Amino acid sequence: MSRLSIIHLLRDSAWVALALLFAVLSSSPHGVAAPPLRDLLALAVVLLLCAATVEALEARGDEVSPGVGGTVLAVFAAAVVLVPLHFGTGLLLQRESLALWALLWFALLRGGCVLASSYWHVFPALVRGVLVLGNAEGIRRVTALVADADGRYRVKAVVQCPDPGAEAAERDADWLADLAHREGVRIIVVSLSERRGTFPLDAVLRCRLRGVRVLDAPTFYELVTRKLNIEGITPGWFIFAPGFGGARWEECARRLADIVLALLALFLVAPFLPVVALAISLDSLGPILFRQVRVGRGGKPFALYKFRTMRDGAERDTGPVWARVNDSRVTRLGGFLRRCRIDELPQLFNVLRGDMGFIGPRPERPEFVSELVREVPFYDQRHAVKPGLTGWAQVCFPYGASKSDALEKLRYDLYYIKNRTLMLDMEILARTFSVVLLGAGAR
């Protein structure tokens, strides 16, 4: 077990202890006996095991600290484990409120810690020191990237490599490792367009063997921005970079979750669907449902269903065009349906059919896809997974309605495909609720 894992375990143990203390105070009125020690120990063990399991899953990616999505997943897993224990063994009998309070307090404490740690200027010890190794232009780009990283990173040292063909200065073999140690550097970012003859291989290797992370510029860009630098990567980078895949059980779990969530959502919204249908029919002439061909996984087309939000025959004369701000084709009711994402509800049937998942890149129309594949690098790679009702690009970027917007959204879509985990899915779901409540990104 690494030192970082031990620190995380001790931190989670502290959160569990505090959560149980607050749960006892919240659920036990004055004069009522404290809950049995067996119940408290069982709660502590379940919470710690679930948190440790999520920690192990998060460690598979580039995350070095727990995320909000991981906290939500850990609490959900603990609830799933406690239910059969309660009914099967009588654990927490007549103490159900204690378990609910413990889960709530653990989520608040652990999640609050994650959110608080994002304010890096308040916790300077969490700022990661960076040494930039490269040519003048590469150093400038990485330095600018760090400046926009909200204080999470700080450039502690800069080393400019000689131009190709120039003679390198004679230095001690440990010069770079000593510099990194002296400046408190935790990450070395290599930003070189040409490494042959200019890259101090032995010096960087010694740093790596001493535990300093060494990243190329595209990988550091991904770590800082949580999107991919399309212009700075090559097909070879895709081939050798980690990610872009998942275990078989994760695919099965994701499909099961899609079905359960779609059925649950349909059950919750079913009473309102006739009201929406009636409102659409009264608002404007035309069909209630709108059927449109979209491109799915592997580039295969499928029929996507939505509640109609535009006037009937809106593209009869123009053909397929991007949606615009204050689009005149949108009906009076359609604008409201789009802001609240109500028009997307029929796509729950697409999820049940397997055309889509709950989370993934939003499916585009084949007319736009054929054009974007020709003009946007790696655009076709977004079809490596199922499209989704919501996605990383949808919660991080406003509604896209141009080729430049499509490029920016592709950065987020490819990041999701590369780093697709259950924790990231949970974070996307949590962010989606805020996006829907704020009506952001709709046109």
Side-chain angles (χ1 to χ4, degrees), residues 210-237:
R210 291 190 183 186
V212 180
R213 293 184 73 186
V214 180
L215 304 175
D216 59 10
T219 303
F220 184 67
Y221 179 94
E222 174 192 354
L223 184 65
V224 172
T225 64
R226 302 186 78 182
K227 58 184 179 180
L228 297 193
N229 182 15
I230 303 296
E231 299 87 348
I233 56 181
T234 64
W237 186 89

Side-chain angles (χ1 to χ4, degrees), residues 186-251:
R186 295 166 62 182
I187 301 174
I188 294 177
V189 180
V190 179
S191 184
L192 276 171
S193 55
E194 178 56 60
R195 299 181 186 176
R196 286 176 294 184
T198 64
F199 183 61
L201 179 62
D202 291 337
V204 174
L205 179 59
R206 287 173 181 263
C207 291
R208 185 70 188 91
L209 294 177
R210 291 190 183 186
V212 180
R213 293 184 73 186
V214 180
L215 304 175
D216 59 10
T219 303
F220 184 67
Y221 179 94
E222 174 192 354
L223 184 65
V224 172
T225 64
R226 302 186 78 182
K227 58 184 179 180
L228 297 193
N229 182 15
I230 303 296
E231 299 87 348
I233 56 181
T234 64
W237 186 89
F238 278 99
I239 293 172
F240 293 108
F244 296 109
R248 178 79 175 172
W249 72 266
E250 287 183 329
E251 291 294 328

Side-chain angles (χ1 to χ4, degrees), residues 15-27 43 46-47 68 71-80 82 92 95-113 115:
W15 295 146
V16 168
L18 285 174
L20 290 177
L21 174 62
F22 293 154
V24 171
L25 296 176
S26 303
S27 63
L43 269 173
V46 169
L47 278 171
V68 175
T71 300
V72 174
L73 184 61
V75 171
F76 178 77
V80 171
L82 287 171
L92 295 166
R95 296 282 182 179
E96 293 83 357
S97 62
L98 173 68
L100 292 175
W101 278 110
L103 294 176
L104 176 62
W105 277 113
F106 181 75
L108 290 175
L109 291 168
R110 194 175 192 260
C113 177
L115 293 176

Side-chain angles (χ1 to χ4, degrees), residues 52-263:
T53 302
V54 168
E55 200 82 54
L57 291 172
E58 286 179 317
R60 292 170 52 188
D62 289 328
E63 296 294 328
V64 294
S65 60
V68 175
T71 300
V72 174
L73 184 61
V75 171
F76 178 77
V80 171
V81 172
L82 287 171
V83 168
L85 287 177
H86 173 67
F87 290 104
T89 66
L91 182 71
L92 295 166
L93 189 63
Q94 297 181 342
R95 296 282 182 179
E96 293 83 357
S97 62
L98 173 68
L100 292 175
W101 278 110
L103 294 176
L104 176 62
W105 277 113
F106 181 75
L108 290 175
L109 291 168
R110 194 175 192 260
C113 177
V114 172
L115 293 176
S117 65
S118 64
Y119 294 92
W120 304 96
H121 60 281
V122 181
F123 304 95
L126 297 176
V127 176
R128 280 166 272 186
V130 175
L131 185 152
V132 187
L133 177 68
N135 54 25
E137 178 60 24
I139 291 173
R140 184 193 65 78
R141 288 197 300 265
V142 174
T143 303
L145 181 63
V146 171
D148 294 334
D150 299 326
R152 290 176 291 158
Y153 303 89
R154 183 176 301 155
V155 175
K156 296 293 188 71
V158 170
V159 176
Q160 184 167 344
C161 295
D163 296 329
E167 185 176 350
E170 291 291 335
R171 297 182 180 181
D172 179 77
D174 290 321
W175 68 272
L176 189 61
D178 292 340
L179 175 61
H181 176 72
R182 186 169 61 251
E183 298 295 337
V185 169
R186 295 166 62 182
I187 301 174
I188 294 177
V189 180
V190 179
S191 184
L192 276 171
S193 55
E194 178 56 60
R195 299 181 186 176
R196 286 176 294 184
T198 64
F199 183 61
L201 179 62
D202 291 337
V204 174
L205 179 59
R206 287 173 181 263
C207 291
R208 185 70 188 91
L209 294 177
R210 291 190 183 186
V212 180
R213 293 184 73 186
V214 180
L215 304 175
D216 59 10
T219 303
F220 184 67
Y221 179 94
E222 174 192 354
L223 184 65
V224 172
T225 64
R226 302 186 78 182
K227 58 184 179 180
L228 297 193
N229 182 15
I230 303 296
E231 299 87 348
I233 56 181
T234 64
W237 186 89
F238 278 99
I239 293 172
F240 293 108
F244 296 109
R248 178 79 175 172
W249 72 266
E250 287 183 329
E251 291 294 328
C252 295
R254 188 171 281 109
R255 178 57 184 152
L256 178 61
D258 286 341
I259 294 173
V260 172
L261 288 174
L263 290 174

Side-chain angles (χ1 to χ4, degrees), residues 284-408:
S284 60
L285 296 176
I288 295 171
L289 289 178
F290 179 67
R291 179 184 181 275
Q292 195 174 66
V293 176
R294 298 290 179 99
V295 178
R297 186 174 189 174
K300 296 180 180 178
F302 70 96
L304 178 140
Y305 295 94
K306 302 175 67 173
F307 281 124
R308 182 176 58 83
T309 57
M310 292 186 177
R311 66 177 187 271
D312 192 26
E315 294 183 340
R316 187 176 295 119
D317 298 327
T318 62
V321 293
W322 295 96
R324 301 180 296 273
V325 177
N326 299 322
D327 200 317
S328 59
R329 300 171 299 169
V330 178
T331 64
R332 292 170 298 177
L333 178 64
F336 170 76
L337 297 180
R338 287 184 168 221
R339 282 193 301 274
C340 299
R341 300 301 196 276
I342 296 174
D343 63 319
E344 312 283 0
L345 290 179
Q347 292 167 42
L348 292 170
F349 294 101
N350 287 112
V351 174
L352 290 176
R353 288 172 51 182
D355 300 325
M356 300 171 59
F358 239 84
I359 298 171
R362 285 295 294 164
E364 277 294 354
R365 301 171 66 175
E367 297 87 353
F368 298 152
V369 169
S370 59
E371 184 178 358
L372 292 170
V373 166
R374 291 193 304 267
E375 301 185 17
V376 179
F378 308 113
Y379 189 83
D380 200 35
Q381 309 312 314
R382 72 192 299 272
H383 301 128
V385 299
K386 284 183 181 180
L389 282 172
T390 184
W392 187 233
Q394 277 60 51
V395 299
C396 294
F397 189 74
Y399 188 93
S402 67
K403 293 175 186 176
S404 60
D405 289 345
L407 174 61
E408 190 63 24

